[in-house]
Amino acid sequence: MTDSPVALITGGGSGIGAAVARQLLDAGHRVTVTGRGERRLRGFAEELGNPEGLLTLAGDAADYDSVRSAVDRTVKEFGRLDTVVANAGTATHDSVADGDPAGWTSMVLTNVLGPALLIRASVDALKETRGRIVLVGSVAGFVPTPGNIYGATKWAVTGLAENTRRQVTEWGIGVTLIAPGRVETPFWDGYGSFPPGHLLTADQLADSIVWAIRQPEGVDVNTVVVRPIGQPN
């Protein structure tokens, strides 16, 4: 157990992050999960039976001191860090021409600054293990949508992934962008209902993320776009 791989997942108390954490724990990894809601994190740990290999830390993915502390505590608790998954994200579900700007700052900071802060905070530890950075983007970061500010933040994540890869590859660190289409998660709560048609489950998307994490040493899977069958764009 002391030599098993270690992953840190932001926004991991529910949805995609929680699904990834469960699968990695089942595969023998040790996992740190962060999120803003301490109660939600506690409930997640209790649901899994408070496993020895799980560390939950409340914190803000867009605050560098919080992110740096999570990385430091992970390394102190588990002795290493092999993978970080920048999963924390939020959406205002409005548009640039008629939306409410009050929510845009938090969304941009969480979705764009958050992954950059995680990379900065973890890169030294990942150099030691020749580990992997996983950024959870979106199909919205490849396909323009009228007025969509959330999509613009995910275009930024698409660029961040490749820009990061070009810097860290010389240190043996892999970078994977996972860009999902519609997934059945709390993301849709702001809409009041799920969109029509088939949606991926969080576990189905987690399959792709964990597949990328568990690639053999020396293999760098860079961009994975995952849509449910039937989603046209």
Side-chain angles (χ1 to χ4, degrees):
M1 186 69 174
T2 56
D3 292 329
S4 60
V6 175
L8 188 160
I9 304 167
T10 65
S14 64
I16 295 166
V20 173
R22 290 189 195 98
Q23 290 195 20
L24 288 177
L25 287 165
D26 288 345
H29 291 232
R30 293 167 292 168
V31 179
T32 295
V33 169
T34 74
R36 292 181 179 177
E38 188 169 352
R39 179 179 297 181
R40 176 180 286 179
L41 291 172
R42 187 164 58 247
F44 175 64
E46 290 172 355
E47 175 191 332
L48 297 182
N50 294 303
E52 183 180 345
L54 175 65
L55 177 65
T56 59
L57 300 173
D60 185 349
D63 177 76
Y64 186 64
D65 288 342
S66 178
V67 176
R68 177 77 256 181
S69 175
V71 170
D72 290 345
R73 289 188 62 183
T74 298
V75 173
K76 182 177 181 180
E77 176 75 16
F78 296 134
R80 59 189 293 167
L81 180 61
D82 299 88
T83 305
V84 294
V85 181
N87 170 71
T90 185
T92 57
H93 304 295
D94 59 6
S95 72
V96 69
D98 56 14
D100 182 0
W104 298 351
T105 299
S106 177
M107 177 174 64
V108 171
L109 291 177
T110 300
N111 294 4
V112 182
L113 180 64
L117 295 179
L118 181 62
I119 293 164
R120 179 66 185 88
S122 64
V123 69
D124 287 341
L126 295 174
K127 286 179 183 179
E128 295 295 323
T129 58
R130 300 177 72 83
R132 185 176 301 278
I133 297 163
V134 178
L135 305 183
V136 179
S138 174
V139 166
F142 289 88
V143 180
T145 308
N148 191 334
I149 306 171
Y150 166 80
T153 69
K154 292 302 184 176
W155 277 86
V157 174
T158 298
L160 178 64
E162 177 60 13
N163 289 359
T164 300
R165 186 196 68 80
R166 292 186 181 214
Q167 180 173 29
V168 305
T169 190
E170 67 176 282
W171 301 320
I173 300 172
V175 178
T176 300
L177 172 69
I178 301 285
R182 296 169 182 165
V183 184
E184 187 177 332
T185 72
F187 172 87
W188 300 104
D189 291 351
Y191 282 109
S193 65
F194 292 124
H198 177 63
L199 277 67
L200 297 170
T201 68
D203 278 325
Q204 286 174 327
L205 186 65
D207 287 343
S208 294
I209 295 172
V210 172
W211 167 81
I213 291 171
R214 301 188 70 190
Q215 286 296 299
E217 183 178 352
V219 176
D220 195 8
V221 175
N222 301 132
T223 304
V224 181
V225 179
V226 186
R227 291 179 177 89
I229 291 177
Q231 179 177 333
N233 55 20

